[in-house]
Amino acid sequence: MTIHPTALADQRQAACADALSRLKAAAAGPGARLSYEPDHPWLTEQLRLITLSLTIGGAKFCEHLNAHPASPRVVHAHAWTPGVLVCPDCTKFPYLIRDNTCDRCHRHSRRGLWTTIAAHGPVLFTYALCRTCHTEVDGPA
Ligand SMILES: [Zn+2]
Ligand SMILES: [Zn+2]
């Protein structure tokens, strides 16, 4: 089945609005905030890799996304599962950080990690960084 380009653009716009709404809802939680930091090169590279996996292939999807591959919708990507995209129902909040390993520098952080969600169109990318990396990528805590 082919989707008309106008319908596809409408679906993509709705998915982007849904992603932004979910981001704002997450930012309203305790200890969370919404910021508009310019993309750090590390974050830009992570988002580029996600886009590449979607456009040239290689991404793995949850069963719900596999059921509707052509429909733009909110998808979640997590730094700790590279190349895997899941629907909101398959994303569990709050995230359980198992080993306090920073997604950027890959060092163990005894002081815990800062979890961040970045919106990139309909993609919500979540990552957990040590204090040093968090300050560099996302600005002061
Ligand atoms: Zn799913
Ligand atoms: Zn780090």
Side-chain angles (χ1 to χ4, degrees):
M1 182 174 103
T2 305
I3 299 175
H4 190 278
T6 302
L8 196 60
D10 287 348
Q11 288 178 4
R12 188 181 193 289
Q13 188 173 15
C16 291
D18 188 12
L20 188 57
S21 174
R22 291 172 188 271
L23 185 66
K24 287 180 178 176
R33 67 184 170 101
L34 189 62
S35 69
Y36 298 94
E37 299 295 329
D39 283 354
H40 183 277
W42 177 82
L43 181 56
T44 300
E45 177 63 8
Q46 303 307 305
L47 298 173
R48 186 184 73 79
L49 292 173
I50 293 167
T51 302
L52 268 179
S53 73
L54 285 168
T55 54
I56 65 171
K60 295 177 184 166
F61 304 100
C62 72
E63 62 184 291
H64 310 104
L65 295 179
N66 265 335
H68 305 284
S71 300
R73 55 172 36 189
V74 172
V75 297
H76 290 264
H78 308 96
W80 50 87
T81 53
V84 177
L85 296 163
V86 298
C87 73
D89 289 341
C90 289
T91 299
K92 308 279 188 266
F93 288 109
Y95 295 111
L96 295 176
I97 306 297
R98 293 186 192 134
D99 60 4
N100 279 343
T101 300
C102 175
D103 288 323
R104 182 174 175 236
C105 71
H106 306 291
R107 290 190 202 120
H108 181 268
S109 173
R110 283 182 291 152
R111 295 172 24 177
L113 300 173
W114 277 256
T115 303
T116 301
I117 304 171
H120 182 63
V123 176
L124 293 174
F125 174 59
T126 305
Y127 51 95
L129 302 179
C130 70
R131 183 179 187 88
T132 301
C133 289
H134 173 72
T135 300
E136 288 181 25
V137 173
D138 300 318

